[in-house]
């Protein structure tokens, strides 16, 4: 009997995914945190990862493991070299949730531009605070990380009449030409953008990418969206920039610790909007991601190597 263990709260709950899992006849286990994951690991054949870290020490507790599959895209919480050393293929689900995340990024920009959270709070508290907002058309959007999500956001923004700038380690010249996107170094992008949306991987290489120095490069009143990883943004620096007015607003979906410590001053600022790491939480995206994970588990059970295997070359 194949045992599938998941730490992702969204895997196996939506669309056609629950019926597909049942049809496969797998034993399905769910872990809400690291302790529950480690308790179930000795009996698991496949680990479907959410946000709980997967380290070498974790892998050592799963002697039956045959594969580690990310329910999503970002694999910064998976020690891929440790998986390779253990002979375990690692997969993820690129592009499956790109539309969902890009649409939330656009929604958060609308929320800041038109003061939607503040308007809601005003009306429901018996007030009538009509704030003068701004339109997104004609504004400059800087996308940091022009991968699948960033490209989808670029198309949405261009459809609204925004100018789109981007920075990425690898430039896609054909996409930039077709979509009307201009690549710039990060420093120049920050200086020109009215909105900056972050779509890079987490990890040490991008830790505190947006810090005091980066925020000082923004034009006064620019707004920031973080749907990447919590460590990409220095929250202390963001709080200071909001207080000084250098930053006109911030929308955050990802945090270093989840749930975050809301005693931090950034959570009390009236121009900050927060969502609970829900960028990929649409029925369509969760079904897409779940079906891709099931497909890859089936391939592994059959003795094959999924096309989305991230360490195929190292495994040989």
């Amino acid at each position: 009997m194949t045992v599938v263990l998941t730490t992702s709260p969204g895997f196996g709950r939506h669309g056609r995914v629950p019926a597909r899992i049942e049809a496969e006849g797998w034993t399905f286990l769910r872990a809400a945190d690291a302790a529950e994951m480690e308790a179930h690991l000795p009996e698991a054949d496949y680990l479907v990862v959410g946000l709980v870290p997967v380290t070498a020490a974790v892998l050592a507790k799963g002697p039956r493991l045959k594969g580690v599959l990310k329910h999503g895209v970002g694999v910064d919480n998976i020690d891929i070299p440790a998986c390779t050393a253990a002979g375990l293929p690692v997969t993820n689900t690129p592009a499956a949730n790109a539309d969902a995340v890009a649409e939330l990024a656009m929604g958060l920009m609308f929320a800041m531009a038109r003061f939607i959270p503040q308007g809601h709070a005003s009306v429901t508290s018996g007030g009538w605070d009509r704030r003068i907002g701004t339109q997104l058309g004609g504004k400059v959007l800087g996308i940091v990380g022009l991968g699948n999500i960033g490209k989808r956001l670029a198309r949405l923004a261009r459809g609204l009449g925004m100018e789109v700038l981007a920075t990425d380690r690898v430039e896609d010249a054909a996409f930039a030409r077709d979509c009307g996107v201009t690549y710039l170094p990060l420093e120049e992008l920050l200086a020109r953008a009215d909105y900056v949306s972050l779509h890079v991987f987490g990890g040490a290489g991008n830790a505190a990418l947006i810090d005091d120095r980066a925020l000082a490069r923004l034009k006064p009143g620019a707004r920031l969206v973080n749907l990447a990883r919590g460590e990409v943004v220095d929250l202390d620096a963001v709080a200071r920039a909001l207080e000084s007015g250098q930053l006109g607003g911030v929308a955050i979906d990802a945090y270093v610790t989840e749930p975050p410590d809301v005693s931090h001053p950034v959570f009390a600022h009236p121009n900050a909007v927060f969502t609970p790491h829900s960028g990929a939480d649409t029925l369509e995206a969760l079904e897409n991601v779940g079906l891709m994970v099931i497909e890859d588990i089936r391939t592994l059970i059959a003795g094959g190597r999924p096309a989305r295997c991230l360490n195929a070359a190292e495994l040989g």
Side-chain angles (χ1 to χ4, degrees):
M1 178 69 69
T2 297
V3 178
V4 177
L5 169 63
T6 186
T7 61
S8 171
F11 181 54
R13 296 189 188 278
H14 304 284
R16 293 168 286 170
V17 177
R20 290 283 180 87
I21 292 174
E22 184 177 0
E24 295 294 338
W26 302 333
T27 296
F28 188 68
L29 304 175
R30 191 177 295 282
D33 52 32
E36 289 188 7
M37 174 185 68
E38 292 182 11
H40 288 304
L41 269 172
E43 56 189 313
D45 295 297
Y46 298 95
L47 176 60
V48 180
V49 182
L51 294 174
V52 177
V54 177
T55 63
V58 166
L59 297 174
K61 297 179 181 181
R64 291 179 43 175
L65 282 177
K66 303 173 183 68
V68 176
L69 305 99
K70 180 60 186 275
H71 188 251
V73 180
V75 291
D76 47 285
N77 64 325
I78 299 175
D79 187 336
I80 296 180
C83 291
T84 302
L88 298 173
V90 179
T91 67
N92 68 345
T93 58
N97 58 20
D99 285 355
V101 180
E103 287 182 11
L104 181 59
M106 186 59 66
L108 290 171
M109 285 192 282
F110 275 119
M112 289 188 288
R114 299 301 302 273
F115 301 106
I116 293 172
Q118 297 89 335
H120 171 85
S122 173
V123 173
T124 57
S125 64
W128 198 250
D129 181 12
R130 296 178 62 179
R131 299 195 183 191
I132 305 300
T134 56
Q135 296 172 196
L136 294 182
K139 301 300 186 296
V140 179
L141 169 62
I143 301 176
V144 181
L146 199 67
N148 290 314
I149 295 168
K151 287 176 179 175
R152 178 57 178 153
L153 177 59
R155 292 193 184 281
L156 293 174
R158 291 290 292 153
L160 287 171
M162 299 185 81
E163 179 184 351
V164 178
L165 312 176
T167 188
D168 202 303
R169 293 176 182 174
V170 179
E171 297 186 3
D172 186 336
F175 176 84
R177 181 181 61 252
D178 293 344
C179 193
V181 173
T182 301
Y183 279 106
L184 289 176
L186 177 61
E187 293 78 9
E188 294 181 35
L189 179 148
L190 294 173
R192 289 186 52 189
D194 298 297
Y195 291 83
V196 175
S197 195
L198 307 175
H199 301 283
V200 295
F201 289 119
N206 286 323
L209 181 68
I210 304 301
D211 56 8
D212 284 303
R213 186 174 180 179
L215 291 167
R217 293 183 181 277
L218 293 171
K219 61 174 70 173
R223 287 154 171 163
L224 176 69
V225 179
N226 183 21
L227 284 95
R229 287 290 187 264
E231 65 266 22
V232 175
V233 171
D234 180 343
L235 276 191
D236 294 337
V238 167
R240 287 189 288 268
L242 285 169
E243 192 61 31
S244 71
Q246 172 66 10
L247 192 60
V250 66
I252 298 176
D253 185 57
Y255 313 87
V256 173
T257 301
E258 297 184 340
D261 177 4
V262 296
S263 67
H264 191 284
V266 75
F267 292 97
H269 199 281
N271 291 339
V273 182
F274 303 98
T275 48
H277 206 139
S278 54
D281 290 351
T282 66
L283 291 174
E284 296 87 350
L286 288 168
E287 181 180 66
N288 289 342
V289 173
L291 293 175
M292 290 169 73
V293 169
I294 290 172
E295 177 186 340
D296 288 344
I297 293 175
R298 291 184 62 186
T299 299
L300 291 168
I301 290 173
R305 183 69 55 78
R308 290 178 284 270
C309 183
L310 299 174
N311 56 343
E314 291 80 2
L315 288 172

